[in-house]
Amino acid sequence: FIFTALLGFKKSAKPFKDYYDGWFKALKNTFLPQLRHAMSSSSTSSPILLASHVEVIHRHLLKFYEALDLAASNDVSQLLYPDWKNPFEKPFLWLGDLHPYLFINLLRSFITQSEIDPEILDPNHQNWDMVMAWKSPSKRLTNRVDQIECGLRLMVPALSARARDAQAAFVEKLAIEWGKCEGRKEEMKGVIAVSAAAEMEELVGVFVDANRLRRSVISDILSVTDVNQAAVFLEALAQFLVGFRNRELLSQFDKCSLEL
């Protein structure tokens, strides 16, 4: 990354892709199966056991965003436009990771499902406790969902505007100083680092704030759901992430190429 070098940001010795690969494997191969096992046997096991697996998945998600924040201070460029995300994932990204609306829309899908006759649901998918988890969501939960959505309608456009303004300022400063230096590398390195550092720091700040918003939406959802609802929600979210790397889906996606 030429701009990373010019601006003096440290390139991580371990690419974030490597961290994400390890994080993803733990989610897919360990934590998601454990949660599903606890969900399938929740009627005969302690609710405390199910709650512990819910907490493990939640903490795993939070650790990912904490790692993103830490990596951003070294090199935000590889995070805003992550090259480890495949073409199937990228339409769902906002400022480097999943759009927070995805979390709330996923939750809404379960609330809507509560109006469906349970008899048409597949009873073999989950035990009865899991099937009935979203049958009668509390008023407190639905009110909180409305509040979260209201907050997103304010915060998402504001963060997008900050990112757009910071990028525009960065490009403007870079273009001006590039012209002054007439392409001389040694002069560019010092001048651009000074003139564009503030704009890069703003991009880091926007990225960190976007992650804070993602974390808060997930935590807010879990704060108003019971353990069964939380388990169903987190299982669906984890499966959504795992599904992005489904080889069959990726193969079908690759075949949907546009002809010029």
Side-chain angles (χ1 to χ4, degrees), residues 55-74:
E55 177 58 27
V56 165
I57 293 277
H58 183 203
R59 188 60 203 159
H60 194 57
L61 293 167
L62 295 183
K63 284 183 178 179
F64 170 67
Y65 289 118
E66 290 167 1
L68 276 178
D69 289 347
L70 182 62
S73 63
N74 289 329

Side-chain angles (χ1 to χ4, degrees), residues 67-129:
L68 276 178
D69 289 347
L70 182 62
S73 63
N74 289 329
D75 181 7
V76 73
S77 63
Q78 68 163 316
L79 304 176
L80 285 171
Y81 306 100
D83 59 3
W84 62 87
K85 298 290 187 179
N86 61 54
F88 190 35
E89 294 176 86
K90 290 182 178 178
F92 296 90
L93 302 184
W94 173 74
L95 294 178
D97 198 68
L98 292 178
H99 200 296
Y101 273 124
L102 186 149
F103 306 138
I104 203 70
N105 288 339
L106 180 60
L107 183 68
R108 282 288 190 194
S109 72
F110 291 117
I111 294 176
T112 302
Q113 177 181 293
S114 69
E115 302 172 1
I116 301 175
D117 187 344
E119 291 183 0
I120 70 174
L121 299 176
D122 181 3
N124 295 319
H125 176 60
Q126 296 166 322
N127 65 20
W128 189 243
D129 289 340

Side-chain angles (χ1 to χ4, degrees), residues 101 147-161 213:
Y101 273 124
Q147 293 172 357
I148 294 172
E149 283 186 319
C150 183
L152 287 177
R153 285 194 292 270
L154 294 174
M155 299 182 71
V156 167
L159 283 172
S160 295
L213 180 58

Side-chain angles (χ1 to χ4, degrees), residues 172-228:
E172 180 181 4
K173 290 247 184 181
L174 186 65
I176 292 173
E177 299 303 336
W178 194 286
K180 289 179 180 178
C181 296
E182 297 180 345
R184 293 187 294 274
K185 182 177 179 181
E186 289 305 314
E187 291 186 29
M188 284 193 300
K189 186 172 182 178
V191 174
I192 294 175
V194 173
S195 63
E199 283 69 26
M200 286 298 293
E201 286 302 315
E202 175 64 6
L203 283 174
V204 172
V206 171
F207 181 79
V208 170
D209 286 345
N211 287 334
R212 184 179 295 115
L213 180 58
R214 284 183 270 259
R215 287 197 302 266
S216 69
V217 171
I218 295 173
S219 296
D220 284 348
I221 289 172
L222 296 182
S223 72
V224 291
T225 53
D226 63 34
V227 65
N228 291 333

Side-chain angles (χ1 to χ4, degrees), residues 222-257:
L222 296 182
S223 72
V224 291
T225 53
D226 63 34
V227 65
N228 291 333
Q229 291 168 336
V232 173
F233 170 76
L234 288 178
E235 183 210 16
L237 178 56
Q239 182 54 49
F240 194 87
L241 293 169
V242 169
F244 279 135
R245 294 196 173 188
N246 182 284
R247 293 183 179 180
E248 183 177 346
L249 287 176
L250 283 173
S251 177
Q252 292 176 4
F253 189 86
D254 289 338
K255 293 177 181 178
C256 298
S257 57

